[in-house]
Amino acid sequence: MSKIMIVEDEADIAEMISMHLAREGHESVTISNGLQVMPAAIEQHPDIIILDLMLPGLDGLSVFKRLRADTRTASIPVIILTAKSQVTDKIAGLESGADDYLTKPFSPRELFLRISAILRRTKKVVLISEMRRGPFSLDRRNLKLFLHGQPLDLTTTEFKLLTTLMENDDAVHTRADLLREVWGYNGDVATRTLDTHVKRLREKLGEDGKAIITVRGTGFQFKIDGEETPVETSAT
Ligand code: CA
């Protein structure tokens, strides 16, 4: 069973969708005001959001952009609903990366075919491409880091370095390992390069930079605050 959020202010359409979803074995929740979508999506994390464009409070396209800009909701697939006359809206919806869209009036069958296709697709992809640890969320498909839900600008090397550290979170990564995995070097000829990048990465992470721990004489380790830290470490 999947949880589907219906964002639609026209009660009869919302009810029709909800009724058919229930018949297919899906749970649904209806939101009628654009401003209520973000808080509800963060709290309930639905599998799919069906989003009408014409909404009171906040229009559907703005809602969609907010959903995509926050890591807690960025990966939720969205199907946009538009009235037949809103051709430009439809194009804007596609350009901003909606997973699918449907033109009103639509048949329930059409909607469910699209829902099923998205569920089949995303249940796999999301697991592979997302990695979360504490406030860190890595979107490996798009090479993006979100920290506390906010996107952070990292260079490709910094992203690779952080991913490598996070992938094996309990292990200590030696300098030689990191130089080989991130830079493709053999031997530890360029230790200073590594230290410079770690320093810069920590600075960008601010307070959360302390998750990258220096293991004296060995290398680095990724640890989230509050978890057990190994002996013989310093955060220099
Ligand atoms: Ca509407």
Side-chain angles (χ1 to χ4, degrees), residues 7-10 52-56 104:
V7 186
E8 170 64 89
D9 60 314
E10 285 161 78
D52 185 35
L53 286 184
M54 297 279 277
L55 291 168
K104 290 178 184 177

Side-chain angles (χ1 to χ4, degrees), residues 12 58 103 145 168 187 217 233:
D12 50 344
L58 187 67
T103 307
L145 166 71
N168 230 328
T233 61

Side-chain angles (χ1 to χ4, degrees), residues 109-127:
R109 168 128 192 95
E110 184 67 29
L111 179 62
F112 303 132
L113 285 177
R114 307 221 181 171
I115 287 174
S116 304
I118 287 175
L119 287 176
R120 269 200 309 275
R121 180 155 44 91
T122 53
K123 292 243 156 144
K124 287 177 211 143
V125 177
V126 169
L127 281 175

